Amino acid sequence: QVQLVESGGGLVQAGGSLRLSCAASGRTFGINVMGWYRQAPGKQRERVASIAPGGVTNYVDSVTGRLTISRDNAKNTVYLQMDSLKPKDKAVYYCNAERMGGIYWGHGTQVTVSS
């Protein structure tokens, strides 16, 4: 099993920044793609960004240029640098990891952006 723990969420004003972290523990050998998803109130969970072990990244169009995903494979940690935040970015952000056919989720961290 893989355990994922997110941190770094909070309240920020529009235009501000936050940095989310997600640390993986347990059976971390063989973790493949890691990513960030978010779920706003009343909406479905959506993929925000993902990153492969070699560093190839993918973003949803609405965050391109504002959010940056990165990972430290030695620390089994993935990050999401969030800049120029907007009220529409308010959501619970979840970390996700794929390992040997299994999909693992963290419990989420709340991000609130005030206008």
Side-chain angles (χ1 to χ4, degrees), residues 19-32:
R19 189 189 194 211
L20 306 183
S21 299
C22 171
S25 61
R27 295 180 180 269
T28 58
F29 178 79
I31 287 179
N32 192 7

Side-chain angles (χ1 to χ4, degrees), residues 32-35 49-58 69-71 78:
N32 192 7
V33 176
M34 299 186 76
S50 60
I51 184 167
V56 175
T57 59
N58 192 276
I69 191 170
S70 60
R71 68 190 285 172
V78 63

Side-chain angles (χ1 to χ4, degrees), residues 30-109:
I31 287 179
N32 192 7
V33 176
M34 299 186 76
W36 289 95
Y37 286 67
R38 67 185 179 187
Q39 187 166 16
K43 295 188 176 181
Q44 290 187 332
R45 190 175 297 188
E46 66 169 349
R47 184 182 61 83
V48 175
S50 60
I51 184 167
V56 175
T57 59
N58 192 276
Y59 298 91
V60 66
D61 288 345
S62 60
V63 307
T64 299
R66 301 188 300 115
L67 275 57
T68 305
I69 191 170
S70 60
R71 68 190 285 172
D72 184 330
N73 292 326
K75 295 181 179 180
N76 296 308
T77 300
V78 63
Y79 306 95
L80 187 67
Q81 177 65 40
M82 309 170 70
D83 299 316
S84 301
L85 282 164
K86 303 176 180 181
K88 68 178 182 179
D89 294 316
K90 174 184 176 180
V92 178
Y93 284 72
Y94 297 91
C95 177
N96 164 283
E98 175 192 345
R99 178 186 181 272
M100 297 184 179
I103 303 296
Y104 301 90
W105 294 92
H107 289 105
T109 185

